[in-house]
């Protein structure tokens, strides 16, 4: 009985081992068949040509970054890396294709490229390109660059960091511009040509020019001539503006814009390209004895929150201003020059 039992156990083990080997062989054969079919499709679908073009572009980038290398070096470099690129492409494509197409579908694609199955293949290849190409470019370019110019890898990291910071600034600027206060076009007064010609030489200055100082019953209105050089332009006048009496040292802090625009917020002007407009700020009423002043734009906490990254950082300050040279009388017909 014992021998019969052992014999049966042995037969079971042999049968199980045979089935395992058979299944393994079938899986290997299926995988090999999938690889060969995929290679065939990549050839007639133009993917191989695309890979060659991709390699040429990578090589061109490397040559630009290491122009001191001679042709012999680049010939050897191309031989070695062309095969690496082809293997890398296939290595990345294979698992992605297996997610989107079965072996049977792949065979159908090879035989009926224009059939419905073939159309599905085209769609899948597009997805493959989108999934793999950005990563492939990054990986291979980085590896090539390390081999060609290893000493520059640190510079590459710094360049990537600068790019990241630039993108962050751009994102912040877009958010800032989206929240900017758009000045109502019907409240903006355009400066007559004969006035702004006296204020600017050849239209090159981007800094506002001091235009007038108006002593009023309850306040002092200071008006500037602001050049607009684009169809859409931002403006910013800091809440840190103040008038300083040169003789006494008394300070008069800005109250806001004449016309009611929010102070300390980025302003936007649209539709006044290559024109000049008036911008007026309100200050407390100057004492009668004030004759000479400084008009200063000092830094303020809100400046950091509102200034875009392309701000030139120059303050709009005006020194040794004689009040009588800019003093005007209030015009009852046009009491306010908005913004």
């Amino acid at each position: 009985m014992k021998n019969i039992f052992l014999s049966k156990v042995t037969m079971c083990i042999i049968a199980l081992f045979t089935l395992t080997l058979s299944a393994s062989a079938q899986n290997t054969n299926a995988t090999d068949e999938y690889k060969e079919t995929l290679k065939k499709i990549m050839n007639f679908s133009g993917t191989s040509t695309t890979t060659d073009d991709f390699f040429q572009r990578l090589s061109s980038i490397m040559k630009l970054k290491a122009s001191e290398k001679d042709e012999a070096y680049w010939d050897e470099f191309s031989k070695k890396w062309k095969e690496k690129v082809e293997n890398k492409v296939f290595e990345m494509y294979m698992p992605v294709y297996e997610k989107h197409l079965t072996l049977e579908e792949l065979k159908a694609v090879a035989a009926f490229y224009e059939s419905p199955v073939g159309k599905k293949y085209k769609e899948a290849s597009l997805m493959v390109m989108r999934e793999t190409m950005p990563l492939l470019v990054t990986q291979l370019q980085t590896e090539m660059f390390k081999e060609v110019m290893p000493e520059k890898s640190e510079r590459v990291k710094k360049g990537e960091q600068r790019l990241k910071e630039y993108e962050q600034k751009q994102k912040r600027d877009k958010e800032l511009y989206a929240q900017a206060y758009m000045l109502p076009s019907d409240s903006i007064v355009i400066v007559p040509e004969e006035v702004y010609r006296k204020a600017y030489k050849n239209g090159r200055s981007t800094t506002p020019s001091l235009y007038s100082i108006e002593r009023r019953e309850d306040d002092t209105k200071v008006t500037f001539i602001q050049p607009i050089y684009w169809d859409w332009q931002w403006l910013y006048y800091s809440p840190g503006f103040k008038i300083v009496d040169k003789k006494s040292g008394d300070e008069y802090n800005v109250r806001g814009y004449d016309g009611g625009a929010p102070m300390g917020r980025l302003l936007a002007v649209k539709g006044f390209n290559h024109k000049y407009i008036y911008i007026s700020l309100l200050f407390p009423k100057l004492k009668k004895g004030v004759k000479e002043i400084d008009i200063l734009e000092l830094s303020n906490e809100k400046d950091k929150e509102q200034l875009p990254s392309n701000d030139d950082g120059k303050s709009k300050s005006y020194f040794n201003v004689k009040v009588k040279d800019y003093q005007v009388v209030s015009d009852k017909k046009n009491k306010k020059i908005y913004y």
Side-chain angles (χ1 to χ4, degrees), residues 252-283:
Y252 302 79
N253 294 319
V254 68
R255 290 177 174 174
Y257 290 102
D258 182 41
M263 196 75 187
R265 182 174 168 185
L266 195 67
L267 305 183
V269 179
K270 189 174 183 180
F272 290 86
N273 187 17
H274 284 82
K275 297 185 186 300
Y276 297 81
I277 65 174
Y278 291 113
I279 301 285
S280 296
L281 299 180
L282 300 181
F283 296 84

